[in-house]
C-alpha cells in the first residue's frame, strides 16, 4: 500500500517535472509579440493623442517628457498629476471632455490617480530603465520611441498601454545576446549582461 | 496507527522529488502580473523625489538620550534605513546598532493606535477631544499641588511647553527619572569640577583609566566616545593611547582595553587613592593635604583591599606618571555603591593630581537657552514621587518617557503606590508596564513621525540644538506627538497665549524663527532659516566655555573599607547595562533582542554571568537555571560561565523580563531591576545599583543557551585562529 503511494508520488513528480521542462525547452528566444491582458485604468489615457505622429493627429511628445524618471531611475514612473494639469489648465478646448474632467477631479481633491501597472515584472527580477535609456537613447542616439518600443511596443498607436512583448527571461536574453554598438560613432559592439545576478535579485 | 509507513526516509525522498519538480518547472511567465498592482504616483511632488531612489532627511535619534543626528532614507514615502548625520558633531555621520533599530520602533506592530480610557481592566478607545476634555476636567478638579509630571530626560521646546504648563497650573512637581544614569558621577563632577558633565577629550589623552565606564557600549554618548577612542588609539601623530579598564564585570569597553583589571566590587575609590599614593611616592608633586589623605593607602594595603596585585598597581602608576595628559573616568561601576560619591570623588582627585583638569577634562559650553537645556534625571526623583504617592499627595499623574513600573525595584512598591493616584495619564508608544496601570493612555507618534527640538546632555563641540522632524506620514491617524498634546493642554490653561498655534509644528516654527538671531540665522529670512535648520538637522549655537570652578578637598575624603563578608548572601549582583537593552525601553524591537550580546553572544534571554570558579564551587554548569535571590526578591535565569567577571560577583543584564509592552519583549528573560536592595548613595540619595548582595542556587532545570558562540564554549578547538597569551604573562609597561 505504502510502496504504491510512494511510487505514485514519485511518478507524478517525474511527469510534472518532465512536462514543465518540456514547456521551458520549447520556449524560444523570440522577439515575437505576446499581447498582455487589457488593464482597466481609472480613466483612459490616450497615448496616441499625446505621443502619436502629427500626421495621425498626435502631438509627438517625447515619452520622457511625462515618464521623466526613466533616464534617472530603475522605474520609468508615472508623472504626478501636477504635470498633467500643468499643460491642461491652459488647454481650454478639451477642458470639458469627460477624461479631462476626471483628471481635474483628482487634481482638485489633491489625490494621486490610482494607475495600474501594465508591465509588472516578478519581484525577483530587477529591470533598470536608466541603463537601457542611457545606452540606447543617449549613447547610441536611437529615437526615444524606438528605444522604449523595444519592450513596450508601439505605444504611440495605443490609448491605454497594453503589454505587447512577453517580458520573459528568454525574450530578454534574445536581445542581450545580440551585438549592440557601444555608442553612436563607434563600430565596437558589446552584448547585454549575461550574469544571473544582473537581473535576478 | 501508521506503522512502518511513511517514515522519515520516504518523506525526504518525496520532499526531494517535489523540490526538483518545483525547481524544474521554475517560475514561468505567469508571474508577470499585469494590472494587479498600482504604480506609485503623486498628485504633487518635489523635483528631487524620484521613485525607487531614496531621499535623505535629517532628524535626531530617539533610541537613547545621547542625541545623535540621523538621516533617514525615504523612498516612495516610507522610511527604510537610518544613517548617521555627518553634520552632527556628536556622531559625525556614525551610528550604533541601537539607533539602527529605530525603524522597528516606528513600524512596530504593538504600537498603541488610539487613546484608551480604563474601563474595569480593559482599555476603551476614545477620541482625542474626549481624552483632552477629561484631562482638563481632572486637572481642574484638584489642587494644582497634587498634579505631578513624571518624565524621562526632556529638553528643547517640549521641555519649554511642559514647564509652561506646570507654570500655568502653579505647581512645580516635575520628577525627572532615569533608571540608568550617571547621576552620582554628575553630582560628584559638579562638586569637583563645577560642571555636571565635563567634556572628556579622550583623543588628547595618552592613557585612559576607566573605572567601569562603558563608554564604548552604553555610557553617556557611546557613538561619540567610540570615535574619540579611535583617535586616541591611532592619533595622527604620537603614540597609541593605552586604555586600562578597572571593573568587576567586563563591559564592552573592558574587552577593548589593553589591561582589564578585575577589582573587588566597591573598592574603586581605594584603588584611586592608592594610585595617588604610588604616584606621590614616585615623585609626582602632590599637595600636602592630599599626601596626608592618601598616606595610609600603601600599595600592599590597596592590593589586599582591591584584589589588584601590587605589581599591577605599580605598573599603572608608572604608566600614568610617564604619559601625560591622561584621563581617569568614573563610571557606573564606581558610583553604584552606598559610598559611590566618595568613590567618584577619589577618582576626580586622581584626575586633579595628574593635572588632567583643563587638559582632558574640559569645560563644556554654556547653553544660550537655559529653558531648553536638558533636565537630566535620577532615581531619587522616582523615590520622592513614590513617597508622595504613598502619602496621597498626588491626585493626577502624567507619565512620559519613563516606564517606572518596570524599572523601579520591587521595594519601591510603585505599583501599589500608583493605585493610590486617582487619575493616571500615561503617554506611551506601547502598552508597557506603566501604561497598563494607567487610567488614560495617550498614544504617541513615533520618533519618525514627530516634531521636536532636543538638546543633548553631552555635546561634543560648542552648543547645539537638534531637530527632530517627521521622516514619513503617520502610520496611524490616532497618534499624536507629545508636543501636540502639551500644546492642547496649554490651550486649556492659557488660551490667549497658545490658541494662535494650530499645532506643535506651527508653535515650533514660530518659536525658532522668532529667535533666529540667536540661532545663527540673523542674516537669513524666516523661510530660509527654517529650511536650512531642517535640512541640516542641527542648529549650532554659540556658547562660551563655562568656568570650571570646582573644589576638591582631600581631607574630607573618606573611602570606607571593603565590604564585609555576608554568609547568607555571599555574592555581589551587578545589574549590567548592555549596549542594546539599556534600561529596557527598546526591548520590543526584535533586532535588539536578536543581536547577540557582544561578550556572551546570548540572544533573546537573560542570563546570570558568573566566574567559572564560582560556578564550580556551587556545582553550576552553563545552561543551569539558577535562582538569584536577594533580600528583596528572586529571579531565575540561565547560568553563563564567563572568566571576565570577579569571582565574588554575578551579573544579570537589565532590560529583560517585561510583563507587558509587546510581543517581542513580553516574557523574554527576567527583570533584574526587581530584586535590587534598598541601599542608597550616602550623599545624593541615589539608588546604589551595585549594592545588592545575592545568593545563587540551582533551580533544577538545565537548558541549552541560545547564543552565537560555538558549541565548544568559544574554544578554538586547537585551531590557532586568534592567538592569545594569559594576562599574567603580559608586561604592561613593555607591551603598551
Amino acid at each position: 500500500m505504502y510502496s504504491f503511494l510512494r511510487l505514485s508520488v514519485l511518478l507524478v513528480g517525474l511527469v510534472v517535472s518532465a512536462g514543465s521542462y518540456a514547456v521551458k525547452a520549447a520556449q524560444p528566444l523570440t522577439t515575437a509579440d505576446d499581447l498582455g491582458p487589457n488593464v482597466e485604468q481609472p480613466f483612459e489615457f490616450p497615448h496616441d493623442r499625446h505621443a502619436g505622429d502629427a500626421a495621425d493627429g498626435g502631438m509627438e511628445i517625447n515619452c520622457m517628457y511625462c515618464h521623466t524618471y526613466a533616464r534617472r531611475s530603475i522605474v520609468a514612473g508615472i508623472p504626478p498629476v501636477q504635470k498633467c494639469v500643468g499643460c491642461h489648465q491652459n488647454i481650454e478646448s478639451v477642458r470639458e471632455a469627460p477624461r479631462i474632467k476626471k483628471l481635474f477631479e483628482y487634481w482638485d481633491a489633491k489625490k494621486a490617480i490610482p494607475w495600474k501597472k501594465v508591465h509588472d515584472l516578478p519581484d525577483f527580477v530587477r529591470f533598470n530603465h536608466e541603463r537601457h535609456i542611457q545606452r540606447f537613447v543617449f549613447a547610441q542616439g536611437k529615437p526615444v520611441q524606438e528605444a522604449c518600443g523595444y519592450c513596450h511596443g508601439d505605444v504611440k498607436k495605443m490609448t491605454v498601454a497594453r503589454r505587447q512583448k512577453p517580458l520573459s527571461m528568454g525574450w530578454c536574453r534574445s536581445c542581450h545576446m545580440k551585438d549592440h554598438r557601444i555608442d553612436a560613432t563607434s563600430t565596437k559592439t558589446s552584448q547585454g549582461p549575461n550574469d544571473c545576478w544582473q537581473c535576478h535579485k | 496507527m501508521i506503522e512502518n509507513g511513511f517514515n522519515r526516509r520516504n518523506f525526504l525522498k518525496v520532499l526531494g522529488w517535489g523540490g526538483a519538480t518545483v525547481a524544474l518547472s521554475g517560475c514561468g511567465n505567469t508571474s508577470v502580473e499585469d494590472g494587479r498592482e498600482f504604480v506609485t504616483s503623486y498628485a504633487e511632488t518635489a523635483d528631487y523625489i524620484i521613485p525607487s531612489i531614496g531621499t535623505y532627511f535629517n532628524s535626531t535619534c530617539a533610541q537613547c538620550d545621547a542625541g545623535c543626528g540621523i538621516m533617514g532614507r525615504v523612498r516612495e514615502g516610507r522610511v527604510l534605513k537610518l544613517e548617521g548625520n555627518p553634520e552632527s558633531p556628536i556622531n559625525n555621520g556614525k551610528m550604533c546598532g541601537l539607533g539602527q533599530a529605530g525603524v522597528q520602533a516606528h513600524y512596530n506592530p504593538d504600537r498603541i493606535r488610539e487613546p484608551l480610557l480604563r474601563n474595569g481592566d480593559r482599555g476603551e478607545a476614545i477620541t482625542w477631544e474626549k481624552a483632552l476634555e477629561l484631562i482638563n476636567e481632572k486637572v481642574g478638579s484638584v489642587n494644582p499641588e497634587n498634579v505631578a509630571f513624571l518624565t524621562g530626560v526632556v529638553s528643547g521646546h517640549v521641555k519649554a511647553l511642559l514647564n509652561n504648563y506646570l507654570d500655568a497650573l502653579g505647581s512645580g512637581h516635575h520628577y525627572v527619572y532615569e533608571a540608568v544614569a550617571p547621576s552620582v558621577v554628575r553630582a560628584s563632577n559638579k562638586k569637583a569640577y563645577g560642571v555636571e558633565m565635563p567634556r572628556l577629550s579622550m583623543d588628547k589623552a595618552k592613557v585612559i583609566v576607566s573605572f567601569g565606564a562603558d563608554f564604548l557600549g552604553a555610557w553617556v554618548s557611546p557613538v561619540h566616545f567610540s570615535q574619540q577612542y579611535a583617535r586616541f588609539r591611532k592619533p595622527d601623530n604620537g603614540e597609541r593611547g593605552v586604555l586600562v579598564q578597572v571593573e568587576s564585570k567586563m563591559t564592552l569597553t573592558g574587552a577593548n582595553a589593553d589591561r582589564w583589571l578585575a577589582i573587588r566590587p566597591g573598592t574603586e575609590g581605594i584603588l584611586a587613592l592608592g594610585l595617588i599614593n604610588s604616584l606621590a611616592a614616585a615623585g609626582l608633586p602632590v599637595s600636602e593635604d592630599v599626601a596626608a589623605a592618601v598616606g595610609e593607602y600603601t600599595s600592599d594595603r590597596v592590593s589586599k583591599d582591591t584584589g589588584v596585585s601590587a605589581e599591577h598597581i605599580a605598573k599603572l602608576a608608572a604608566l600614568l606618571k610617564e604619559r601625560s595628559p591622561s584621563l581617569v573616568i568614573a563610571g557606573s561601576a564606581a558610583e553604584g555603591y552606598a559610598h559611590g560619591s566618595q568613590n567618584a570623588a577619589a577618582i576626580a582627585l586622581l584626575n586633579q593630581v595628574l593635572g588632567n583638569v583643563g587638559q582632558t577634562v574640559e569645560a563644556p559650553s554654556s547653553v544660550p537657552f537655559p529653558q531648553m537645556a536638558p533636565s537630566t534625571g535620577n532615581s531619587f526623583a522616582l523615590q520622592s514621587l513614590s513617597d508622595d504617592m504613598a502619602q496621597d499627595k498626588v491626585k493626577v499623574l502624567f507619565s512620559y518617557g519613563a516606564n517606572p513600573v518596570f524599572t523601579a525595584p520591587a521595594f519601591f512598591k510603585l505599583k501599589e503606590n500608583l493605585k493610590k493616584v486617582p487619575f493616571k495619564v500615561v503617554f506611551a508608544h506601547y502598552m508597557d508596564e506603566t501604561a497598563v496601570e494607567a487610567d488614560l493612555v495617550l498614544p504617541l507618534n513615533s520618533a519618525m513621525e514627530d516634531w521636536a527640538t532636543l538638546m543633548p546632555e553631552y555635546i561634543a563641540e560648542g552648543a547645539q540644538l537638534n531637530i527632530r522632524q517627521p521622516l514619513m506620514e503617520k502610520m496611524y491617524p490616532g497618534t499624536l506627538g507629545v508636543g501636540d498634546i502639551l500644546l492642547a493642554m496649554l490651550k486649556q490653561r492659557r488660551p490667549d497665549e497658545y490658541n494662535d498655534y494650530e499645532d506643535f509644528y506651527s508653535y515650533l516654527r514660530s518659536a525658532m524663527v522668532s529667535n533666529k538671531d540667536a540661532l545663527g540665522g540673523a542674516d537669513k529670512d524666516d523661510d530660509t532659516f527654517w529650511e536650512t535648520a531642517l535640512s541640516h538637522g542641527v542648529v549650532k549655537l554659540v556658547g562660551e566655555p563655562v568656568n570650571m570652578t570646582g573644589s576638591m578637598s582631600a581631607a574630607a575624603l573618606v573611602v570606607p573599607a571593603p565590604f564585609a563578608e555576608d554568609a547568607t548572601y555571599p555574592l555581589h549582583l551587578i545589574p549590567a547595562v548592555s549596549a542594546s537593552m539599556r534600561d529596557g525601553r527598546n526591548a520590543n524591537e526584535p533586532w535588539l533582542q536578536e543581536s547577540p550580546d557582544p561578550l556572551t553572544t546570548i540572544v533573546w534571554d537573560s542570563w546570570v554571568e558568573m566566574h567559572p570558579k564560582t560556578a564550580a564551587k556551587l556545582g553550576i554548569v552553563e545552561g543551569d537555571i539558577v535562582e538569584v535571590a536577594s533580600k528583596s526578591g528572586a529571579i531565575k535565569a540561565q547560568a553563563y560561565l564567563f572568566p571576565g567577571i570577579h569571582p565574588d560577583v554575578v551579573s544579570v543584564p537589565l532590560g529583560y523580563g517585561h510583563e507587558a509592552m509587546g510581543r517581542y519583549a513580553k516574557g523574554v528573560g527576567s527583570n533584574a531591576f526587581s530584586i535590587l536592595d534598598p541601599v542608597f548613595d550616602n550623599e545624593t540619595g541615589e539608588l546604589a545599583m551595585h549594592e545588592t548582595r545575592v545568593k545563587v542556587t540551582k533551580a533544577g532545570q538545565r537548558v541549552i543557551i541560545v547564543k552565537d558562540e560555538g558549541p565548544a564554549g568559544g574554544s578554538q578547538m586547537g585551531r590557532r585562529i586568534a592567538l592569545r597569551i594569559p594576562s599574567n604573562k603580559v608586561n604592561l609597561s613593555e607591551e603598551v
Side-chain angles (χ1 to χ4, degrees), chain B residues 160-173:
Chain B
L161 279 188
L162 177 57
N163 282 343
N164 290 353
Y165 184 73
L166 291 169
D167 199 39
L169 289 183
S171 138
H173 296 300

Side-chain angles (χ1 to χ4, degrees), chain B residues 257-335:
Chain B
D258 296 284
R259 166 68 68 190
W260 181 74
L261 294 173
I263 189 167
R264 182 173 297 159
T267 59
E268 288 82 1
I270 298 178
L271 181 63
L273 296 181
L275 283 170
I276 299 175
N277 189 18
S278 301
L279 283 163
L284 192 84
V286 295
S287 66
E288 263 177 37
D289 58 332
V290 172
V294 300
E296 57 189 270
Y297 291 92
T298 60
S299 180
D300 286 345
R301 180 199 154 184
V302 172
S303 172
K304 196 167 138 277
D305 283 353
T306 60
V308 178
S309 75
E311 190 195 352
H312 276 142
I313 297 172
K315 280 177 180 167
L316 191 49
L319 195 66
L320 284 169
K321 179 155 183 293
E322 200 177 300
R323 295 183 165 210
S324 181
S326 52
L327 174 62
V328 189
I329 310 171
S332 53
E335 67 175 316

Side-chain angles (χ1 to χ4, degrees), chain A residues 2 5-6 9-10 13-14 16-17 20-21 24 27 36-37 39 69 72-75 78 80-82 107 110-120 122 124 163 167-168, chain B residues 1-7 10 13-14 17-18 20-21 24-29 31-47 49-53:
Chain A
Y2 288 110
L5 181 64
R6 284 204 294 272
V9 168
L10 295 186
L14 264 177
V16 171
S17 59
S20 83
Y21 189 73
K24 269 270 163 319
Q27 192 180 50
V39 176
Y69 310 120
R72 294 182 288 181
S73 170
I74 288 179
V75 295
I78 285 285
V81 184
Q82 85 197 100
W107 176 245
K110 287 285 178 288
K111 272 198 172 145
I113 305 169
W115 301 109
K116 285 271 179 61
K117 284 186 186 174
V118 174
H119 301 85
D120 191 3
F124 55 82
R163 183 164 61 77
L167 305 189
S168 64
Chain B
M1 292 295 289
I2 298 173
E3 277 173 19
N4 206 7
F6 221 57
N7 59 19
N10 286 325
K13 269 188 201 164
V14 170
W17 277 105
T21 311
L24 282 172
S25 62
C27 313
N29 278 350
S31 346
V32 176
E33 297 181 325
D34 304 336
R36 300 249 184 102
E37 289 180 16
F38 292 102
V39 194
T40 305
S41 66
Y42 302 95
E44 277 179 290
T45 181
D47 284 347
I49 303 288
I50 299 175
S52 93
I53 292 182

Side-chain angles (χ1 to χ4, degrees), chain A:
Chain A
M1 162 66 194
Y2 288 110
S3 65
F4 173 72
L5 181 64
R6 284 204 294 272
L7 191 65
S8 64
V9 168
L10 295 186
L11 276 177
V12 167
L14 264 177
V15 167
V16 171
S17 59
S20 83
Y21 189 73
V23 168
K24 269 270 163 319
Q27 192 180 50
L29 299 181
T30 177
T31 55
D33 286 355
D34 174 33
L35 204 59
N38 269 319
V39 176
E40 201 175 312
Q41 300 286 11
F43 57 87
E44 193 186 41
F45 177 84
H47 279 95
D48 50 358
R49 188 90 180 87
H50 290 85
D53 295 335
D56 304 332
M59 236 104 50
E60 298 189 358
I61 299 172
N62 190 318
C63 305
M64 288 193 290
Y65 181 77
C66 298
H67 298 288
T68 173
Y69 310 120
R71 62 186 182 276
R72 294 182 288 181
S73 170
I74 288 179
V75 295
I78 285 285
V81 184
Q82 85 197 100
K83 184 158 240 163
C84 310
V85 170
C87 292
H88 273 280
Q89 63 188 355
N90 299 320
I91 309 177
E92 287 298 330
S93 58
V94 294
R95 186 69 182 75
E96 291 308 313
R99 294 188 296 225
I100 307 299
K101 274 167 112 174
K102 262 251 167 89
L103 169 72
F104 276 90
E105 274 171 29
Y106 281 104
W107 176 245
D108 293 337
K110 287 285 178 288
K111 272 198 172 145
I113 305 169
W115 301 109
K116 285 271 179 61
K117 284 186 186 174
V118 174
H119 301 85
D120 191 3
L121 292 179
D123 287 347
F124 55 82
V125 177
R126 189 189 291 120
F127 175 84
N128 191 331
H129 278 88
E130 182 187 6
R131 293 291 292 268
H132 290 85
I133 297 294
Q134 291 295 341
R135 176 69 179 263
F136 291 110
V137 176
F138 294 103
Q140 282 193 16
K142 291 266 166 67
V144 176
Q145 288 188 342
E146 183 190 327
C148 299
Y150 295 152
C151 305
H152 293 292
D154 209 2
V155 181
K156 68 169 183 280
K157 298 220 170 97
M158 306 173 200
T159 53
V160 172
R162 187 171 174 192
R163 183 164 61 77
Q164 306 288 314
K165 309 283 178 185
L167 305 189
S168 64
M169 180 172 141
W171 179 81
C172 293
R173 290 282 299 125
S174 71
C175 193
H176 273 222
M177 282 163 72
K178 284 183 192 156
D179 294 322
H180 299 280
R181 282 191 295 133
I182 60 168
D183 60 43
T185 52
S186 168
T187 53
K188 274 201 203 157
T189 60
S190 70
Q191 295 184 344
N194 194 20
D195 288 319
C196 305
W197 55 266
Q198 282 280 357
C199 312
H200 284 280
K201 292 180 193 174

Side-chain angles (χ1 to χ4, degrees), chain B residues 172-234:
Chain B
H173 296 300
H174 179 196
Y175 303 86
V176 189
Y177 169 55
E178 279 181 272
V180 174
S183 20
V184 175
V185 166
R186 278 181 198 137
S188 149
N189 284 347
K190 180 89 186 158
K191 244 188 200 172
Y193 310 128
V195 292
E196 285 197 340
M197 202 40 88
R199 204 158 279 169
L200 304 175
S201 306
M202 295 186 185
D203 49 348
K204 288 187 198 156
K206 291 175 179 159
V207 185
I208 296 176
V209 181
S210 157
F211 287 85
D214 183 17
F215 57 82
L216 298 179
W219 193 71
V220 182
S221 194
V223 179
H224 174 69
F225 289 138
S226 298
Q227 293 176 55
Q228 290 243 314
Y229 174 76
R231 286 201 293 278
F232 155 82
R233 278 297 205 205
K234 201 174 179 190

Side-chain angles (χ1 to χ4, degrees), chain B residues 246-266:
Chain B
V246 185
E247 60 198 0
S248 313
K249 176 234 174 306
M250 187 181 272
T251 58
L252 185 59
T253 312
N256 279 281
D258 296 284
R259 166 68 68 190
W260 181 74
L261 294 173
I263 189 167
R264 182 173 297 159

